[in-house]
Amino acid sequence: MKGISESVFLPGVPTGHLAEAEDDFGHIIASLPLGVLAAHSADAVRELVSYAGPRGLPVAARGSGHALYGQGQAHGGYVVDMRPLNEVRCTPGDRTLSAGAGASWSEVVRAALVEGLAPPVLPDHLGTSVGGVLSTGGFGATSHRRGLVADWVRDIDVVTGTGTLLTCSRERHRELFDAVLAGLGQCALIVRATLRLLPAPARVRRFRLFHSTPEAYLTDQRRLCRDGRFSHVCGQARPAVGGAWTYAIEAVAPHTAELPTEDVLLIGDLDHDRDTVEIEDLPYEEFLHRPEREERLLRASGEWQRPHPWLSLLLPEDTAAAFVPAVLADPAQRGLRTCGVVQLRPLTGETLRTPLLRRPPADRLCLLTLMRTAPTTDPVAVEELVAANRTVYERALAVGGVLHPVSALPMTPADWRGHFGPVWPDLAHAKDRHDPHHILTRGYGLWP
């Protein structure tokens, strides 16, 4: 095969990054791929998929390797290392940016901010890859107003499971466009995307507001979403003394000439603890990179290298005030107090426009993410935590919740049919049409 190292296709022959491709950020599922292709061009990806398809060999894309449960692995097949596809070009005249699938969001932000622009929605962790985030949809601190990262994609270049390289958008190959964004890599692999941009603030003012009850927290969080005084709104449940939890809102306003000089005009009508409020002004770029300090601390402590059985759920907001405290009180979740983060993100259903992103039908939603680090690498103990995720997932289903499928959770084909519900026939049709050999991204387990 011209242009591709032949060793990549020979089982048992060491290839670049092979050991890396056997694992992911979750550190729960291990695999044995035959080889790894460093994707220096879209044509190289197309050639690999054309080879693998008729032979029934699995193929999966890997960007930064942030999958949690083997979703981006290809046991007995080939992993495409997308990181060489990292070119980023900003076109300020029409407020767009073209990025290779392997580019990190940090690279995207850097190129856009030079022109005073930024993507309307960004993932919290800028070390993730463009292709990986778009394949799952992508939530961020502006999602309550702007929807998903994927909702701001103008067009994408993809390689289908037949080895066909296509450009698709809402005007061209619409069926495939809709099947790829938040489509979990089932019908095609993203190799490039064009993103729409908006003007970026130079500075922001950040508020941290603390609440003692989930009811007060959710009421204030929703108020901030509804009236638009803040551009970024997210939050956490944090351990407090005596086994209790405190609920914290992080709200950010662009630091413009119109920003009130009196903070009471922004937060004075809220029901937070006024003695504990935290306020700071900082450059917008520094704000976007805020998780990197936490990552450095986790790497230094060793937590970054331990298993991460995370679980992410979309809940009807009306159920969250009872559901979240019940989950946090569950003995199986006690590790969250010492080795984890509980994130709560407000969402508005009408802003979530990508068809394959499944959500509860209510318009007021809450994204609950249990970002837990296992205290041990013992496989039995880790599987107990994964089983606890299943219990929480089933409780969420009972109150109208929906899985966000970036989680460390085994799912059967029947589970997936229930998850996608009325759009399952459309996804199955697109899969049969664009990946007839069913070789792409098998790690999710959608198909028998």
Side-chain angles (χ1 to χ4, degrees), residues 218-282:
L218 290 168
T219 298
D220 276 358
Q221 196 178 60
R222 177 52 53 184
R223 183 179 295 150
L224 298 182
C225 293
R226 185 175 60 247
D227 62 22
R229 70 183 89 172
F230 290 105
S231 58
H232 299 64
V233 180
C234 56
Q236 293 181 1
R238 299 182 175 183
V241 296
W245 291 81
T246 295
Y247 296 84
I249 293 174
E250 181 177 74
V252 172
H255 205 303
T256 65
E258 291 77 27
L259 185 69
T261 56
E262 293 292 335
D263 292 322
V264 69
L265 297 179
L266 285 172
I267 61 174
D269 61 336
L270 303 177
D271 192 22
H272 62 97
D273 180 356
R274 285 163 174 74
D275 293 330
T276 59
V277 63
E278 300 173 6
I279 305 173
E280 65 176 335
D281 292 335
L282 65 166

Side-chain angles (χ1 to χ4, degrees), residues 64-81:
S64 57
H66 276 77
L68 293 169
Y69 203 66
Q71 292 97 334
Q73 296 176 23
H75 186 75
Y78 299 101
V79 173
V80 182
D81 181 356

Side-chain angles (χ1 to χ4, degrees), residues 97-122:
L97 180 146
S98 174
S104 70
W105 289 97
S106 181
E107 293 168 315
V108 168
V109 165
R110 187 181 306 116
L113 286 182
V114 166
E115 305 296 343
L117 302 169
V121 187
L122 283 163

